[in-house]
Amino acid sequence: MVPGSWMGTGDTIQALLGAPAASVPGPLPLLGAGAAFGWSRKLRKRIAAPLITPPQV
């Protein structure tokens, strides 16, 4: 935001130009966190699996 001021007849008006600050985050960080969590669970499962599986009879 860009602060600005205007001087009148003894009065001062300050204006903030730009978009207001968002108090609630957008959906993109939440989707990214969900994707990272899912990827980490998949990776953890793959690491825990044995490399050589016994032959099935």
Side-chain angles (χ1 to χ4, degrees):
M1 290 191 290
V2 180
S5 63
W6 175 75
M7 302 296 282
T9 58
D11 296 334
T12 301
I13 297 175
Q14 292 187 348
L16 297 175
L17 305 175
S23 61
V24 178
L28 192 58
L30 297 176
L31 292 175
F37 180 73
W39 181 78
S40 69
R41 299 302 298 166
K42 182 187 267 189
L43 183 63
R44 185 178 292 214
K45 190 182 292 186
R46 196 171 77 196
I47 289 172
L51 292 177
I52 300 173
T53 57
Q56 302 203 359
V57 181

